[in-house]
Every structure is written in structure tokens, then in C-alpha cells.
Amino acid sequence: MPAEYTITPLVVAFGIQREMSRFTYLNSPGVKFDIPYVSFLLQSGKMNILVDSGCSAEDYKRWIKPAGDEPLQLAGEQFRDVEDAVTIEERLKNHGLAVDDIDILVQTHLDWDHCMNTLKFRKSRIVIQKTEIEDQPVHPLYRASHPPDEIHEEYLKLNLEVVDGNVNLLDGLDLLLTPGHTAGGQSLLVRTPQGPYVIAGLCTTYANYYIPDEEKKKLGYDVIPPGMHISAVDAYESVKLLLEIGGDRILPLHEPSLADLRTIE
């Protein structure tokens, strides 16, 4: 029987009152909204897979926020501090798991909010794209979006499994290279009992994919790339590809409604 996976969003923290145009390129300037920082737990039989590890308020203050009381300034936006929801350890415990029970951690990309907890998973296979690793250290334009060099150096000591492009990782689980937001971002196509779902490995929300027809006419294009990107065109093509593959079953990494989504099974 083909493998099928359940998918459970694990919200570990929140970014408070973020600028929406950081996620919807050149759209909704000045609109503020709260975003979740999410890991996804995939389970099939005895296999436990995590997609991204998330972050915490403590790590943000220690490693990302400037020293003192000054807020992080990123692309013209002053960040409010990260607020914790539930730690990744506690989220896993609620599902009868510990950190060491995670067989594979798929790292969509290396922005700090997606990988600050990854060093905790020293017994897991950490799957990441070759182009994402090779792009480190990143250009100064994107430096504030990534962990400091000392964290990256520790990251390289983990049990990394570096892949190159689209890869069938396991039965029912395919990796899709989706660059543009970062050099080597990757997404996942997951077979579930409800049908295939796409975990979109770019910093997006539903607003990037599901645009009303009238709004598309005004825009002149079908999807919206993330506002933070190394290539707007590549990011656009990645978002468009994921919509074509996932249809109405896309799980964006920063979609606010994921905070209320239960297990897909």
C-alpha cells in the first residue's frame, strides 16, 4: 500500500504586526498582521518527519535582535519582538514524541525563523538543498534574515543530507526546488489520506496564491511572489508552480489560519 502521511502544523511562535508587503510583493503596503512561525509534523507508520524547526523569543533576542533596546531593522521595517507560543519540545511531547524521535528534518530554507531550533535535532537527517547551503554566507542585503555565522558553522556539523533539485525523498513525499525567496528554497508534495498537499517552502500566505479574479485583472498577473526575495521572477515562478501542483491544498509557511488548523488525516 502506498505510504500516506498525516500533517500537523506546530506553531511555536508569532511575529507580531509584520508588514504584509514583506510577503506580498508590492501589494498591501502599510497593512500589518500577525504571522505564525510554524513547523510541520509529518507521520506515516513509525516515520516522524519535521518540516522546519522554527524559532523562539529567546533565540531571537540572543542571536538576531541587535544588542540593547534597539529593534531589528529589516528592509525599512522595525520588528517587534518574537512572542513564544509553545516550544518545539512541548509541541512534540503533545504528540508522544521527543526531539530525538524525529527521523528526518526537512529544512525549507535558512532564514532564521525557520532554522533556529534545528541545532536541537542532532540525531535527525537534515535535508537541505545544495544551492541553499552554497549561498551561505548570504549577500549583505539578506544578512539580517539569517542566523549569525557561528550558528551556521554549527549547522554544518549536523547530519546533513544535501540534495540537488527535485527529489523523491520517500514514498509519498517529494521535494520540489522552489527558488527565488532564497537561492535554494524547497517545498514538499505530500501524499495524505485526503489527497496530495503542498507545503510551500517560501515565506508566503494564502494571499500569494489565491487572488480574486477581479484583482488579477488589475494586477496583470496570477500570483504574488514574496516581498523578500533574491529574484522576484524566480519567486513568482515558484509560487505559480506550487499553485499548479497544489491547487486548493497549499500550506504556506506564514499563513495565519494555520494557528487554528488541526491534523490533516
Side-chain angles (χ1 to χ4, degrees):
M1 179 180 294
E4 294 180 330
Y5 297 83
T6 61
I7 305 176
T8 306
L10 307 177
V11 176
V12 296
F14 288 94
I16 306 301
Q17 292 297 284
R18 298 293 191 248
E19 167 71 27
M20 180 169 280
S21 62
R22 289 176 51 79
F23 300 85
T24 52
Y25 180 50
L26 299 179
N27 287 270
S28 304
V31 176
K32 303 290 185 180
F33 72 132
D34 297 344
I35 62 168
Y37 295 129
V38 187
S39 296
F40 293 89
L41 176 63
L42 280 52
Q43 294 182 287
S44 180
K46 295 182 179 180
M47 180 65 67
N48 299 305
I49 300 167
L50 202 65
V51 180
D52 286 348
S53 65
C55 60
S56 70
E58 178 183 356
D59 282 337
Y60 171 77
K61 290 178 181 179
R62 180 180 179 187
W63 296 107
I64 306 302
K65 184 179 178 181
D69 295 326
E70 291 296 316
L72 174 66
Q73 183 85 19
L74 184 58
E77 180 183 8
Q78 288 191 347
F79 270 42
R80 287 175 56 176
D81 287 351
V82 170
E83 294 187 6
D84 285 329
V86 180
T87 65
I88 189 64
E89 293 91 342
E90 192 65 25
R91 286 293 192 196
L92 293 174
K93 183 179 179 181
N94 290 340
H95 293 274
L97 300 171
V99 165
D100 288 350
D101 294 321
I102 298 300
D103 301 291
I104 299 172
L105 194 163
V106 177
Q107 193 73 68
T108 63
H109 62 289
L110 289 174
D111 280 1
W112 61 262
D113 52 314
H114 298 271
C115 69
M116 290 304 292
N117 283 324
T118 298
L119 292 180
K120 298 175 180 179
F121 293 86
R122 297 189 177 274
K123 292 189 177 181
S124 307
R125 290 163 53 197
I126 313 296
V127 180
I128 190 166
Q129 287 285 335
K130 179 174 181 284
T131 45
E132 188 73 2
I133 285 288
E134 290 179 344
D135 194 48
Q136 310 299 314
V138 294
H139 189 279
L141 278 172
Y142 313 107
R143 195 70 195 88
S145 298
H146 288 71
D149 291 343
E150 54 205 287
I151 295 293
H152 181 64
E153 289 168 4
E154 289 299 312
Y155 192 96
L156 294 176
K157 299 176 184 177
L158 296 173
N159 182 24
L160 297 183
E161 180 175 335
V162 179
V163 297
D164 191 5
N166 297 342
V167 174
N168 174 239
L169 184 63
L170 295 169
D171 182 29
L173 185 58
D174 292 297
L175 303 179
L176 307 172
L177 179 63
T178 47
H181 172 56
T182 63
Q186 61 182 347
S187 302
L188 293 91
L189 178 60
V190 185
R191 184 191 299 140
T192 81
Q194 295 186 27
Y197 272 79
V198 166
I199 298 176
L202 306 87
C203 287
T204 54
T205 74
Y206 283 153
N208 297 84
Y209 304 90
Y210 306 126
I211 306 172
D213 288 340
E214 191 62 33
E215 189 65 23
K216 289 181 186 178
K217 291 180 183 178
K218 293 178 182 178
L219 290 172
Y221 45 88
D222 294 331
V223 296
I224 300 175
M228 288 291 291
H229 49 253
I230 63 169
S231 168
V233 173
D234 287 348
Y236 177 90
E237 294 300 331
S238 290
V239 171
K240 186 177 179 181
L241 172 68
L242 294 179
L243 180 60
E244 291 170 354
I245 293 173
D248 61 356
R249 292 175 175 169
I250 297 175
L251 300 173
L253 298 181
H254 292 298
E255 167 55 37
S257 65
L258 291 183
D260 301 316
L261 182 64
R262 299 190 178 184
T263 299
I264 297 168
E265 57 186 354

